[in-house]
Amino acid sequence: LVILSILTMTIGNITAVSQSNIKRFLAYSSIAQAGYILMGMAVFSHLGRDAVLIYLFAYVLTNLGAFTVVTLVGEETQSNSLDAYAGLSQRSPAAAALLAVFLLSLAGLPPLAGFIGKYYVFAAAIQGKFITLTVVAAINSVIAAYYYFRIIRLMYLAPAAGPAFVSRDKALMTALWALFLGVLALGVFPGFFITRILG
Protein backbone atom coordinates (compact mmCIF):
# COMPACT_ATOMS: atom_id res chain seq x y z
CA LEU A 1 0.00 0.00 0.00
CA VAL A 2 2.88 2.38 0.73
CA ILE A 3 4.39 1.76 -2.72
CA LEU A 4 0.97 2.05 -4.37
CA SER A 5 0.29 5.31 -2.54
CA ILE A 6 3.63 6.79 -3.63
CA LEU A 7 3.19 5.70 -7.26
CA THR A 8 -0.42 6.90 -7.42
CA MET A 9 0.18 10.39 -6.08
CA THR A 10 3.44 10.86 -8.01
CA ILE A 11 2.19 9.65 -11.41
CA GLY A 12 -1.08 11.55 -10.98
CA ASN A 13 0.66 14.82 -10.12
CA ILE A 14 3.39 14.59 -12.76
CA THR A 15 0.84 13.79 -15.47
CA ALA A 16 -1.51 16.58 -14.32
CA VAL A 17 1.23 19.20 -14.73
CA SER A 18 1.38 18.70 -18.52
CA GLN A 19 -2.38 18.78 -19.20
CA SER A 20 -3.97 21.53 -21.31
CA ASN A 21 -7.54 20.18 -20.98
CA ILE A 22 -9.06 21.07 -17.60
CA LYS A 23 -11.19 17.92 -17.36
CA ARG A 24 -8.17 15.72 -17.94
CA PHE A 25 -6.26 17.91 -15.51
CA LEU A 26 -8.84 17.31 -12.79
CA ALA A 27 -8.97 13.59 -13.64
CA TYR A 28 -5.22 13.17 -13.10
CA SER A 29 -5.44 15.38 -10.02
CA SER A 30 -8.08 12.94 -8.73
CA ILE A 31 -5.64 10.07 -9.21
CA ALA A 32 -3.11 11.97 -7.09
CA GLN A 33 -5.78 12.57 -4.43
CA ALA A 34 -6.42 8.81 -4.36
CA GLY A 35 -2.74 8.44 -3.44
CA TYR A 36 -3.34 10.44 -0.26
CA ILE A 37 -6.33 8.25 0.59
CA LEU A 38 -4.10 5.18 0.15
CA MET A 39 -1.63 6.89 2.47
CA GLY A 40 -4.17 6.70 5.30
CA MET A 41 -4.95 3.08 4.46
CA ALA A 42 -1.26 2.14 4.40
CA VAL A 43 -0.79 3.30 7.98
CA PHE A 44 -3.38 0.73 9.10
CA SER A 45 -4.15 2.36 12.44
CA HIS A 46 -7.22 3.84 14.13
CA LEU A 47 -6.07 7.33 13.15
CA GLY A 48 -5.33 6.12 9.62
CA ARG A 49 -8.88 4.81 9.26
CA ASP A 50 -10.33 8.08 10.57
CA ALA A 51 -8.05 10.03 8.21
CA VAL A 52 -9.38 8.10 5.19
CA LEU A 53 -13.00 8.87 6.10
CA ILE A 54 -12.30 12.56 6.72
CA TYR A 55 -10.24 12.88 3.54
CA LEU A 56 -12.96 11.19 1.47
CA PHE A 57 -15.61 13.57 2.80
CA ALA A 58 -13.45 16.65 2.15
CA TYR A 59 -12.39 15.36 -1.27
CA VAL A 60 -15.96 14.64 -2.45
CA LEU A 61 -17.14 18.15 -1.53
CA THR A 62 -14.13 19.81 -3.13
CA ASN A 63 -13.92 17.77 -6.30
CA LEU A 64 -17.66 17.98 -6.96
CA GLY A 65 -17.35 21.75 -6.63
CA ALA A 66 -14.41 21.97 -9.03
CA PHE A 67 -16.07 19.75 -11.65
CA THR A 68 -19.33 21.73 -11.35
CA VAL A 69 -17.52 25.01 -12.10
CA VAL A 70 -15.74 23.35 -15.02
CA THR A 71 -19.10 22.16 -16.35
CA LEU A 72 -20.53 25.68 -16.05
CA VAL A 73 -17.56 27.32 -17.79
CA GLY A 74 -17.51 24.62 -20.48
CA GLU A 75 -21.17 25.25 -21.29
CA GLU A 76 -20.58 28.99 -21.57
CA THR A 77 -17.31 28.90 -23.52
CA GLN A 78 -17.80 25.63 -25.46
CA SER A 79 -14.25 24.72 -24.50
CA ASN A 80 -12.46 22.58 -21.93
CA SER A 81 -9.06 24.05 -22.73
CA LEU A 82 -7.13 25.76 -19.94
CA ASP A 83 -6.86 28.75 -22.28
CA ALA A 84 -10.62 29.28 -21.83
CA TYR A 85 -9.91 30.17 -18.19
CA ALA A 86 -7.67 33.12 -19.06
CA GLY A 87 -9.07 36.24 -17.38
CA LEU A 88 -12.05 34.32 -15.97
CA SER A 89 -12.12 36.68 -12.98
CA GLN A 90 -13.09 39.50 -15.39
CA ARG A 91 -15.57 37.42 -17.40
CA SER A 92 -17.31 35.64 -14.51
CA PRO A 93 -16.05 36.78 -11.08
CA ALA A 94 -18.25 34.28 -9.19
CA ALA A 95 -17.10 31.27 -11.21
CA ALA A 96 -13.44 32.30 -10.85
CA ALA A 97 -13.75 32.84 -7.10
CA LEU A 98 -15.53 29.52 -6.54
CA LEU A 99 -13.04 27.58 -8.66
CA ALA A 100 -10.14 29.27 -6.87
CA VAL A 101 -11.54 28.16 -3.50
CA PHE A 102 -11.99 24.58 -4.70
CA LEU A 103 -8.47 24.49 -6.16
CA LEU A 104 -6.98 25.89 -2.95
CA SER A 105 -8.87 23.21 -1.02
CA LEU A 106 -7.46 20.51 -3.33
CA ALA A 107 -4.01 21.99 -2.68
CA GLY A 108 -4.66 21.54 1.06
CA LEU A 109 -4.57 25.16 2.16
CA PRO A 110 -6.34 26.34 5.34
CA PRO A 111 -9.02 27.19 6.28
CA LEU A 112 -10.61 24.81 3.75
CA ALA A 113 -11.81 21.19 3.78
CA GLY A 114 -8.78 19.90 1.87
CA PHE A 115 -6.45 21.14 4.60
CA ILE A 116 -8.31 19.11 7.24
CA GLY A 117 -8.14 15.98 5.07
CA LYS A 118 -4.42 16.33 4.44
CA TYR A 119 -3.72 17.20 8.06
CA TYR A 120 -5.22 13.90 9.20
CA VAL A 121 -3.49 11.67 6.63
CA PHE A 122 -0.13 13.32 7.34
CA ALA A 123 -0.73 13.03 11.10
CA ALA A 124 -1.54 9.33 10.70
CA ALA A 125 1.60 8.71 8.63
CA ILE A 126 3.83 10.58 11.11
CA GLN A 127 2.26 8.77 14.07
CA GLY A 128 2.90 5.44 12.33
CA LYS A 129 6.52 6.51 11.59
CA PHE A 130 6.03 6.22 7.82
CA ILE A 131 8.69 8.89 7.26
CA THR A 132 9.51 8.11 3.60
CA LEU A 133 5.81 8.15 2.70
CA THR A 134 5.35 11.45 4.53
CA VAL A 135 8.30 13.08 2.73
CA VAL A 136 7.14 11.88 -0.71
CA ALA A 137 3.60 13.10 0.04
CA ALA A 138 4.94 16.50 1.08
CA ILE A 139 6.93 16.81 -2.17
CA ASN A 140 3.84 15.82 -4.14
CA SER A 141 1.82 18.44 -2.28
CA VAL A 142 4.26 21.09 -3.50
CA ILE A 143 3.96 19.84 -7.09
CA ALA A 144 0.16 19.88 -6.81
CA ALA A 145 0.17 23.40 -5.34
CA TYR A 146 2.20 24.55 -8.36
CA TYR A 147 -0.33 23.40 -10.92
CA TYR A 148 -3.38 24.53 -8.91
CA PHE A 149 -1.88 28.00 -8.54
CA ARG A 150 -1.07 28.00 -12.26
CA ILE A 151 -4.80 27.92 -13.03
CA ILE A 152 -5.57 30.58 -10.40
CA ARG A 153 -2.87 32.81 -11.92
CA LEU A 154 -4.41 32.23 -15.35
CA MET A 155 -7.86 33.24 -14.09
CA TYR A 156 -6.71 36.38 -12.28
CA LEU A 157 -3.59 37.67 -14.05
CA ALA A 158 -4.00 36.72 -17.73
CA PRO A 159 -5.96 38.90 -20.18
CA ALA A 160 -9.58 37.86 -20.69
CA ALA A 161 -9.97 35.27 -23.46
CA GLY A 162 -13.59 36.07 -24.31
CA PRO A 163 -16.73 38.02 -23.35
CA ALA A 164 -18.23 38.17 -19.87
CA PHE A 165 -20.99 35.73 -18.99
CA VAL A 166 -23.45 34.99 -16.18
CA SER A 167 -24.86 31.51 -15.65
CA ARG A 168 -28.65 31.39 -15.75
CA ASP A 169 -28.76 27.83 -14.45
CA LYS A 170 -30.09 28.49 -10.93
CA ALA A 171 -29.92 24.84 -9.88
CA LEU A 172 -26.24 24.64 -10.86
CA MET A 173 -25.38 27.86 -9.03
CA THR A 174 -27.29 26.74 -5.93
CA ALA A 175 -25.35 23.48 -5.90
CA LEU A 176 -22.09 25.37 -6.33
CA TRP A 177 -22.71 27.71 -3.42
CA ALA A 178 -23.81 24.77 -1.24
CA LEU A 179 -20.55 22.94 -2.04
CA PHE A 180 -18.57 26.13 -1.37
CA LEU A 181 -20.20 26.52 2.04
CA GLY A 182 -19.50 22.85 2.80
CA VAL A 183 -15.80 23.19 1.89
CA LEU A 184 -15.50 26.35 3.98
CA ALA A 185 -17.51 25.03 6.95
CA LEU A 186 -15.46 21.81 7.19
CA GLY A 187 -12.27 23.86 7.19
CA VAL A 188 -13.46 26.41 9.77
CA PHE A 189 -15.47 24.09 12.04
CA PRO A 190 -13.78 20.69 11.59
CA GLY A 191 -14.75 19.36 15.00
CA PHE A 192 -18.48 19.67 14.29
CA PHE A 193 -18.21 17.61 11.10
CA ILE A 194 -15.55 15.14 12.24
CA THR A 195 -17.63 13.93 15.18
CA ARG A 196 -20.48 13.20 12.74
CA ILE A 197 -18.28 11.62 10.05
CA LEU A 198 -16.64 9.27 12.54
CA GLY A 199 -19.84 8.60 14.48
Side-chain angles (χ1 to χ4, degrees):
L1 281 173
V2 169
I3 293 169
L4 188 59
S5 173
I6 289 172
L7 287 174
T8 303
M9 66 177 76
T10 303
I11 292 170
N13 277 325
I14 290 173
T15 311
V17 169
S18 61
Q19 298 305 309
S20 59
N21 179 296
I22 194 153
K23 285 189 174 179
R24 284 201 298 269
F25 162 81
L26 286 176
Y28 283 110
S29 164
S30 298
I31 293 171
Q33 298 295 334
Y36 294 106
I37 294 169
L38 286 168
M39 185 176 170
M41 293 173 65
V43 175
F44 203 69
S45 66
H46 182 75
L47 181 58
R49 184 209 65 185
D50 291 350
V52 169
L53 293 173
I54 295 164
Y55 199 100
L56 278 170
F57 185 72
Y59 167 75
V60 167
L61 285 176
T62 304
N63 221 43
L64 272 176
F67 270 105
T68 304
V69 177
V70 166
T71 299
L72 184 155
V73 175
E75 288 176 353
E76 296 292 339
T77 63
Q78 300 301 307
S79 172
N80 289 316
S81 170
L82 286 180
D83 293 338
Y85 289 76
L88 186 64
S89 61
Q90 302 164 45
R91 302 163 62 203
S92 180
L98 287 165
L99 183 56
V101 168
F102 295 132
L103 291 175
L104 290 173
S105 181
L106 286 171
L109 268 66
L112 302 170
F115 169 74
I116 301 302
K118 283 194 175 176
Y119 171 82
Y120 272 88
V121 294
F122 272 88
I126 292 169
Q127 184 192 67
K129 295 182 170 56
F130 286 74
I131 305 304
T132 301
L133 179 58
T134 304
V135 170
V136 172
I139 293 169
N140 271 285
S141 293
V142 172
I143 296 171
Y146 161 75
Y147 62 67
Y148 291 130
F149 275 101
R150 186 182 66 172
I151 296 177
I152 294 172
R153 183 191 63 79
L154 190 64
M155 292 193 298
Y156 282 90
L157 299 179
F165 61 87
V166 176
S167 175
R168 293 176 177 79
D169 190 331
K170 291 183 179 179
L172 192 65
M173 291 307 297
T174 300
L176 264 177
W177 285 109
L179 289 164
F180 163 76
L181 290 174
V183 166
L184 189 61
L186 178 56
V188 176
F189 306 107
F192 175 83
F193 290 93
I194 288 169
T195 53
R196 284 153 181 79
I197 295 169
L198 303 180

